[in-house]
């Protein structure tokens, strides 16, 4: 079964063809990173306009690179939320047009579920190798969620961030340190040669599985101010060694909290495996800490499948196929969609 997966929830126009939920035939990503870099963050209107320009050529490339014709597709899957409303609309309308023109089923996918299913695209099957229940940490620019997955399509949100998402905190930290956008890869790169001499606090929120990253971010801001590197003027002299050390300390604090809480939750709920997903799961320190400390089978997508892509949307659609009751042609976009949320509640949340 070949599914076309379309993802436009944020700043990547991404389209992929996936066979049987696990074999990637093509995975095309038109990134808008350079476009938004000059603003230091994503500008929603700019993102929507760029999706409009990119969506048709990206679909054509994905079909071309898969070496198939449109006639070989069995379904069209698309992210329906959460994300930026204007950006989501471009993908959803393109998907509707394609599905309608080719008389194909249309499947609306939750972006967060996509990040989980990226783990089925790496030649491993977490259900076979570990079994349910699985503990999932989705850590991205918009979310930091701990989710108990007790079967395909069956989720329970156990913890979430109370303020910034981990990726958002990385992006803000990078801005303070003058490292550019997107912040995650920039902070990771800056921290490469650090010795570990700086320390930043951790927010444990004991007794809950929630997260908070705004305190760490403020501590970093205060250190940057006291070192005289923020706010930055033309006369500011940057102490590169300090930047490396503080970037390292920031990564360690954020990663330590996520690893500790995710593994505690996994034990508490007797999970058979640990799954990661989302852009921050590309972080090398986070990956290393999970590899060192996880006692059950661990699944982390390769970095290119941690960040937004169409393959994860197509994979999700494959696994929800049997239980899918369909969104129909009136499918809307749901900017605040949560995992496991039914359509009526999603509509009310719009
Ligand atoms: O999943 P994603 O591509 O988009 C959302 O769904 O939000 O995640 C993007 C986020 C950005 O905040 C970016 O800075 C972060 O993932 N990110 C990283 C790394 N690569 C991307 N954060 C830490 N380390 C990385 N290597
Ligand atoms: Zn994402």
């Amino acid at each position: 079964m070949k599914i076309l997966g379309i993802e436009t929830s944020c700043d990547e126009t991404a389209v992929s063809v996936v066979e049987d939920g696990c074999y990637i035939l093509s995975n095309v990503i038109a990134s808008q990173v350079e476009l938004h870099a000059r603003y230091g963050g994503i500008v929603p209107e700019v993102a929507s306009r760029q999706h409009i320009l990119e969506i048709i050529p990206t679909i054509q490339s994905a079909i071309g690179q898969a070496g198939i014709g449109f006639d070989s597709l069995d379904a069209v899957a698309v992210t329906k939320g959460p994300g930026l409303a204007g950006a989501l609309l471009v993908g959803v309308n393109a998907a509707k047009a394609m599905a309608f023109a080719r008389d194909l089923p249309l499947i609306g996918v939750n972006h967060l579920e996509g990040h989980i299913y990226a783990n089925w695209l790496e030649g491993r099957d977490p259900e076979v190798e570990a079994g349910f229940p699985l503990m999932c940490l989705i850590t991205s620019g918009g979310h930091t969620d701990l989710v108990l997955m007790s079967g395909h399509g069956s989720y329970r949100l156990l913890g979430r961030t109370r303020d910034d998402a981990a990726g958002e905190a990385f992006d803000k930290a990078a801005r303070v340190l003058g490292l550019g956008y997107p912040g995650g890869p920039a902070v990771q790169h800056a921290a490469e040669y650090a010795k570990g001499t700086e320390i930043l606090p951790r927010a444990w929120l004991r007794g809950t599985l929630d997260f908070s990253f705004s305190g760490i971010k403020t501590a970093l801001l205060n250190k940057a101010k006291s070192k005289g590197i923020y706010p930055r003027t033309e006369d500011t002299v940057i102490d590169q060694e300090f930047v490396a050390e503080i970037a390292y300390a920031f990564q360690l604090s954020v990663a330590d909290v996520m690893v500790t809480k995710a593994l505690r939750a996994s034990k508490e709920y007797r999970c058979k495996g640990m799954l990661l997903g989302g852009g921050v799961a590309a972080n090398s320190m986070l990956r290393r800490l999970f590899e060192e400390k996880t006692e059950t089978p661990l699944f982390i997508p390769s970095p290119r499948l941690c960040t937004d892509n169409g393959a994860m949307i197509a994979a999700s659609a494959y696994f929800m196929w049997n239980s899918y009751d369909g969104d129909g042609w009136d499918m809307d976009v749901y900017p605040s969609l949560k995992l496991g949320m039914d359509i009526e509640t999603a509509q009310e949340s719009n």
Side-chain angles (χ1 to χ4, degrees):
M1 181 168 183
K2 295 186 185 69
I3 301 183
L4 184 83
I6 300 178
E7 154 61 40
T8 64
S9 69
C10 194
D11 62 341
E12 321 274 16
T13 316
V15 185
S16 174
V17 180
V18 173
E19 185 156 18
D20 296 340
C22 56
Y23 304 110
I24 298 178
L25 303 187
S26 67
N27 191 26
V28 182
I29 301 173
S31 174
Q32 301 181 8
V33 160
E34 280 176 28
L35 195 62
H36 297 284
R38 72 180 87 145
Y39 305 106
I42 296 160
V43 183
E45 284 75 15
V46 173
S48 325
R49 280 182 215 167
Q50 193 63 18
H51 283 310
I52 291 170
L53 296 176
E54 298 281 5
I55 190 72
I56 302 294
T58 311
I59 291 174
Q60 284 166 336
S61 298
I63 296 284
Q65 287 181 27
I68 59 166
F70 282 94
D71 290 342
S72 308
L73 291 174
D74 296 292
V76 178
V78 63
T79 305
K80 62 180 176 183
L84 303 168
L88 288 163
L89 273 169
V90 179
V92 164
N93 283 303
K96 279 184 186 175
M98 269 203 62
F100 189 74
R102 296 272 159 183
D103 197 20
L104 293 170
L106 172 71
I107 311 170
V109 174
N110 184 316
H111 180 83
L112 302 171
E113 196 165 6
H115 278 307
I116 292 175
Y117 277 100
N119 287 288
W120 269 260
L121 291 165
E122 299 284 8
R124 297 172 74 189
D125 183 336
E127 184 185 6
V128 172
E129 213 179 298
F132 294 114
L134 295 161
M135 183 56 61
C136 310
L137 172 68
I138 304 166
T139 177
S140 68
H143 294 83
T144 308
D145 289 347
L146 262 180
V147 176
L148 180 67
M149 182 182 191
S150 44
H152 289 292
S154 176
Y155 310 102
R156 190 170 141 206
L157 181 65
L158 300 175
R160 54 186 301 204
T161 182
R162 292 190 183 174
D163 38 58
D164 291 350
E168 195 181 351
F170 265 99
D171 293 337
K172 289 178 181 168
R175 217 173 297 156
V176 168
L177 299 176
L179 296 173
Y181 170 86
V187 169
Q188 178 177 315
H189 181 67
E192 257 165 31
Y193 299 104
K195 299 185 191 78
T197 55
E198 289 285 342
I199 293 173
L200 286 170
R202 289 134 171 82
W204 291 109
L205 304 183
R206 288 186 204 284
T208 81
L209 290 171
D210 283 348
F211 301 95
S212 166
F213 299 111
S214 69
I216 305 172
K217 190 190 65 190
T218 307
L220 175 135
L221 178 70
N222 289 339
K223 286 212 180 209
K225 277 183 180 165
S226 67
K227 262 280 176 189
I229 64 164
Y230 188 85
R232 200 172 272 225
T233 67
E234 280 179 3
D235 304 322
T236 307
V237 180
I238 306 294
D239 178 347
Q240 295 298 353
E241 206 176 309
F242 168 76
V243 170
E245 292 299 339
I246 204 78
Y248 181 92
F250 179 83
Q251 267 192 141
L252 185 58
S253 284
V254 173
D256 187 18
V257 173
M258 285 197 287
V259 172
T260 307
K261 297 197 87 153
L263 293 181
R264 190 188 304 150
S266 180
K267 229 174 218 164
E268 201 178 314
Y269 287 88
R270 298 174 197 278
C271 291
K272 295 183 178 152
M274 181 76 225
L275 252 73
L276 263 62
V280 182
N283 184 266
S284 54
M285 185 183 283
L286 184 74
R287 299 169 82 92
R288 201 180 61 236
L289 287 182
F290 266 110
E291 277 155 14
E292 283 167 14
K293 297 186 175 182
T294 310
E295 288 167 3
T296 57
L298 170 68
F299 304 88
I300 318 179
S302 55
R304 79 185 173 107
L305 292 176
C306 284
T307 45
D308 293 349
N309 62 84
M312 67 187 200
I313 302 306
S316 291
Y318 177 82
F319 286 98
M320 60 196 275
W321 185 253
N322 289 335
S323 57
Y324 189 63
D325 50 10
D327 290 84
W329 300 117
D330 57 350
M331 179 167 74
D332 204 347
V333 298
Y334 305 102
S336 311
L337 190 63
K338 302 207 169 32
L339 269 177
M341 197 183 241
D342 59 53
I343 282 298
E344 285 75 30
T345 318
Q347 279 162 345
E348 279 162 25
S349 75
N350 266 2

